[in-house]
C-alpha cells in the first residue's frame, strides 16, 4: 500500500541536497573572503534572501493583481500590489510594472510595446559604455531592429549631446535610448528628451546601474522625463535579481500587455515579494546615506588610482563606477582580471571608448563600489584597496608578493563581514 502521507509530504521533507549545499557554502565563503568590485553586484539583505526562498515560488499568477489566469492568487496579488505601490513611491512614478525577470526583459518589453520589426533605434555604442540589449547584433534588439549608435566624445570620453542630436536628425529613430553599463558620468536626461522631441522619437532611459543613486537624489531622475524608464533591482538598488519598468499612466496597458503575454509568462512571485522588501529598505533614510557613501567611495578609489599613475576613462567619476585604461601599462583587461582574481580582488575586464581590443580581452577594467559600501567600508579602506590593486598589477609575476597581498585582501574582507551567521 502506498504511504500517501509520506508521498504528500515529499516536497516538505526531501533530503538535504548535499552537493548544492556544499556549493552554496563555498560561494558564501567566497563572497565573505574576497573584495567584490563588480559594479553591477551587491550584497542584498537577509530579508530579501529569505523572501526569495519562500513558498511564494510555488504560485502561478499569469496576469496582474485582480485579473489572473489562475485561482488562488489572493496572497500574491497583495504582494505584487505592495511591490508596485512601494516602487511608485520610491521612484516618484505614477505607473510601474514589477514583473520583468531582468533588465533585458524590461527593455525587450518596451521595444515590443513601441517598435515594429525594422524600426530604428538610436542607442549608446556598447564599446563606449552601452548595453547588449540596446542593439548588439547578436541580441534580439540588434537582430529585429535597425540599430544606430552614438559614441562618447573622443577627447572628453563623455556624452556629446550636440553629436547625439546631429545623429538623431540624420537617422530619425523611432526610439532613443539613454543609459549605460559602464559610463561613469551624469546622464542629462532632459537633454535627451529635447533631442527625442525634436525628431518625434520615444525616449527610454535604462537606469539599471544608477537606479539606487537616482532614487536617493544623487543622479537626476528620468521619471517624468523619459517616456519609459527601465531598471534592475539588484545593482545599486540592492534588492533581488530582477527588472522594472516605469512610465506615464497612459502607457500602462501597453506595457502591461508587452510584459505579459508579450515577452514573459508567469511572474516570479517570490522575487516580486523580495522586490517589495528591497523597496521598503530603499525608502528608509539610511538608504540615501548608503548611496552617498557609494559615490564617495567610488571617487576616493578613483582618485587613488589616478594619483598612482593609472589613466581613468573620462578623468574621473560621478557615480558608483569608473573605468581604468591599462593600455599604457602594457597590460590587457583580461590579464589584469587574472592577476587581481589570484589575490581575491574581483573586477571585470571592460572595453574602453574606441577600444582596439575585442571585448573578451579588452583594454580596461571596470571598478564599482556598491558591494564594498554595503559591507561598511569607507574612504580609508578605498585607499587600502587602491594600494592592493596597484601593487598586484605592478607585481603580477612575483608570486611571493602576490601571496602577501592575498593575505591582506582576506584580512580586509574579514574585517567587514557579510552574512555573519552562516
Ligand atoms: N551585467 C550587467 C553589468 O555588469 O553591467 C550588464 O548586463
Amino acid at each position: 500500500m502506498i504511504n500517501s502521507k509520506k508521498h504528500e509530504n515529499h516536497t516538505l521533507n526531501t533530503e538535504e541536497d548535499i552537493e548544492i549545499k556544499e556549493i552554496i557554502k563555498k560561494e558564501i565563503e567566497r563572497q565573505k573572503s574576497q573584495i567584490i568590485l563588480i559594479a553591477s553586484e551587491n550584497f542584498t539583505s537577509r530579508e530579501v534572501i529569505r523572501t526569495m526562498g519562500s513558498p511564494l515560488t510555488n504560485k502561478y499568477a499569469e496576469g496582474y493583481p485582480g485579473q489572473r489566469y489562475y485561482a488562488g492568487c489572493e496572497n500574491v496579488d497583495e504582494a505584487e500590489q505592495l511591490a508596485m505601490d512601494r516602487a511608485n513611491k520610491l521612484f516618484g512614478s505614477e505607473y510601474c510594472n514589477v514583473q520583468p525577470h531582468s533588465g533585458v526583459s524590461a527593455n525587450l518589453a518596451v521595444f515590443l510595446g513601441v517598435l515594429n520589426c525594422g524600426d530604428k533605434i538610436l542607442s549608446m555604442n556598447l564599446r563606449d559604455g552601452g548595453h547588449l540589449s540596446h542593439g548588439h547584433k547578436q541580441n534580439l534588439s540588434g537582430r529585429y531592429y535597425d540599430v544606430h549608435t552614438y559614441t562618447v566624445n573622443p577627447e572628453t570620453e563623455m556624452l556629446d549631446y550636440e553629436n547625439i542630436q546631429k545623429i538623431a536628425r540624420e537617422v530619425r529613430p523611432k526610439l532613443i535610448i539613454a543609459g549605460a553599463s559602464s559610463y561613469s558620468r551624469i546622464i542629462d536626461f532632459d537633454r535627451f528628451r529635447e533631442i527625442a522631441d525634436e525628431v518625434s522619437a520615444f525616449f527610454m532611459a535604462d537606469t539599471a546601474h544608477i537606479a539606487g543613486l537616482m532614487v536617493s537624489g544623487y543622479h537626476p531622475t528620468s521619471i517624468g522625463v523619459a517616456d519609459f524608464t527601465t531598471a534592475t533591482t539588484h545593482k545599486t538598488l540592492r534588492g533581488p535579481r530582477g527588472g522594472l519598468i516605469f512610465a506615464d499612466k497612459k502607457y500602462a496597458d501597453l506595457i502591461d500587455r508587452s510584459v505579459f503575454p508579450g515577452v514573459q509568462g508567469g511572474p516570479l512571485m517570490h522575487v516580486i515579494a523580495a522586490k517589495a522588501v528591497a523597496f521598503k529598505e530603499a525608502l528608509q533614510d539610511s538608504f540615501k546615506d548608503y548611496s552617498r557613501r557609494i559615490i564617495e567611495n567610488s571617487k576616493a578609489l578613483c582618485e587613488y588610482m589616478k594619483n598612482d599613475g593609472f589613466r581613468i576613462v573620462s578623468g574621473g567619476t560621478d557615480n558608483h563606477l569608473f573605468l581604468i585604461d591599462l593600455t599604457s601599462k602594457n597590460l590587457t583587461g583580461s590579464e589584469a582580471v587574472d592577476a587581481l582574481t589570484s589575490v581575491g580582488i574581483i573586477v571585470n575586464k571592460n572595453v574602453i571608448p574606441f577600444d582596439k581590443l575585442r571585448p573578451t580581452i579588452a583594454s580596461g577594467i571596470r571598478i564599482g563600489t556598491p558591494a564594498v559600501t554595503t559591507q561598511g567600508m569607507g574612504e580609508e579602506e578605498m585607499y587600502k584597496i587602491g594600494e592592493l590593486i596597484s601593487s598586484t598589477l605592478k607585481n603580477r609575476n612575483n608570486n611571493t608578493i602576490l601571496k602577501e597581498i592575498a593575505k591582506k585582501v582576506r584580512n580586509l574582507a574579514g574585517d567587514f563581514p557579510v552574512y555573519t551567521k552562516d
Side-chain angles (χ1 to χ4, degrees):
M1 208 178 117
I2 296 171
N3 180 340
S4 61
K5 193 157 187 198
K6 192 170 176 197
H7 180 72
E8 279 163 24
N9 283 341
H10 164 73
T11 54
L12 302 180
N13 292 331
T14 185
E15 281 188 8
E16 274 186 340
D17 185 331
I18 304 297
E19 288 108 313
I20 284 294
K21 202 174 172 192
E22 191 53 33
I23 291 169
I24 293 172
K25 202 170 141 197
K26 281 193 296 182
E27 175 58 12
I28 292 172
E29 200 42 50
R30 185 193 72 78
Q31 292 186 17
K32 280 171 151 180
S33 60
Q34 296 184 326
I35 292 176
I36 314 272
L37 298 169
I38 304 271
S40 47
E41 292 182 7
N42 211 329
F43 296 108
T44 200
S45 72
R46 282 188 170 279
E47 195 53 28
V48 165
I49 289 178
R50 252 195 296 270
T51 308
M52 277 193 286
S54 73
L56 293 182
T57 191
N58 297 335
K59 191 69 198 99
Y60 246 116
E62 284 176 5
Y64 290 96
Q67 297 168 309
R68 304 285 191 184
Y69 287 85
Y70 294 79
C73 288
E74 58 274 17
N75 301 315
V76 293
D77 273 6
E78 275 185 47
E80 184 165 348
Q81 192 57 54
L82 200 53
M84 290 190 290
D85 293 345
R86 288 178 181 171
N88 280 331
K89 186 170 176 196
L90 182 64
F91 281 77
S93 177
E94 50 186 37
Y95 158 81
C96 72
N97 188 305
V98 296
Q99 291 193 3
H101 301 330
S102 66
V104 173
S105 288
N107 290 345
L108 291 180
V110 173
F111 301 162
L112 185 73
V114 300
L115 300 174
N116 292 311
C117 274
D119 277 348
K120 291 176 186 168
I121 294 179
L122 177 60
S123 61
M124 189 175 195
N125 194 308
L126 181 64
R127 183 198 55 187
D128 297 329
H131 189 252
L132 280 174
S133 63
H134 299 177
H136 185 275
K137 63 181 188 305
Q138 285 178 35
N139 183 262
L140 187 148
S141 54
R143 294 176 66 169
Y144 290 176
Y145 306 112
D146 179 11
V147 179
H148 299 256
T149 58
Y150 54 86
T151 64
V152 290
N153 179 300
E155 298 300 316
T156 62
E157 297 177 306
M158 296 188 206
L159 287 171
D160 177 344
Y161 297 95
E162 299 286 303
N163 194 44
I164 297 169
Q165 186 170 36
K166 189 168 158 270
I167 300 170
R169 284 174 180 161
E170 283 161 16
V171 170
R172 309 289 303 182
K174 187 154 177 201
L175 176 69
I176 296 181
I177 304 174
S181 63
S182 53
Y183 184 68
S184 63
R185 298 301 187 168
I186 297 288
I187 298 173
D188 187 342
F189 294 129
D190 290 327
R191 190 74 179 88
F192 268 103
R193 174 81 263 173
E194 278 172 25
I195 297 169
D197 283 345
E198 189 192 322
V199 298
S200 302
F202 287 108
F203 171 32
M204 182 185 104
D206 180 342
T207 66
H209 266 264
I210 55 170
L213 309 179
M214 197 169 93
V215 300
S216 300
Y218 291 102
H219 190 288
T221 186
S222 59
I223 304 290
V225 181
D227 297 302
F228 309 99
T229 291
T230 57
T232 54
T233 40
H234 50 279
K235 298 186 177 93
T236 49
L237 258 184
R238 208 164 54 175
R241 195 157 285 272
L244 293 170
I245 305 174
F246 298 91
D248 287 349
K249 259 204 169 110
K250 66 180 178 206
Y251 295 121
D253 286 346
L254 178 78
I255 293 299
D256 282 351
R257 280 199 311 276
S258 297
V259 173
F260 171 80
V263 297
Q264 290 187 176
L268 309 175
M269 299 317 301
H270 55 308
V271 177
I272 288 174
K275 288 175 182 174
V277 172
F279 299 147
K280 185 172 183 182
E281 291 170 358
L283 281 161
Q284 311 304 310
D285 285 343
S286 56
F287 191 81
K288 283 193 176 50
D289 186 49
Y290 165 63
S291 299
R292 179 181 50 74
R293 287 185 291 111
I294 291 178
I295 298 174
E296 282 172 5
N297 282 345
S298 178
K299 283 181 187 285
L301 185 47
C302 182
E303 275 310 299
Y304 183 94
M305 300 312 297
K306 199 169 159 177
N307 293 336
D308 202 39
F310 287 87
R311 193 184 88 76
I312 308 297
V313 170
S314 87
T317 179
D318 300 325
N319 62 21
H320 62 301
L321 65 81
F322 60 93
L323 290 177
I324 300 180
D325 172 8
L326 296 164
T327 311
S328 68
K329 303 287 179 193
N330 203 21
L331 187 62
T332 66
S334 170
E335 288 165 340
V337 167
D338 288 347
L340 290 167
T341 304
S342 77
V343 298
I345 297 176
I346 306 301
V347 304
N348 63 279
K349 61 191 168 215
N350 217 102
V351 280
I352 56 166
F354 310 101
D355 207 327
K356 291 187 179 65
L357 299 180
R358 57 181 190 276
T360 47
I361 308 277
S363 297
I365 51 176
R366 185 182 67 165
I367 294 191
T369 53
V372 287
T373 307
T374 294
Q375 281 178 276
M377 293 192 197
E379 288 181 30
E380 192 184 324
E381 286 74 35
M382 294 307 111
Y383 301 138
K384 284 185 190 161
I385 291 173
E387 200 180 335
L388 293 169
I389 293 175
S390 177
S391 177
T392 302
L393 297 181
K394 285 172 188 156
N395 297 290
R396 62 189 179 281
N397 297 318
N398 185 329
N399 280 334
T400 311
I401 295 182
L402 291 181
K403 268 188 193 152
E404 282 168 24
I405 297 173
K407 204 168 151 198
K408 288 182 185 167
V409 167
R410 271 197 307 280
N411 288 342
L412 180 58
D415 287 344
F416 293 86
V418 283
Y419 305 136
T420 45
K421 288 190 198 109
D422 278 305

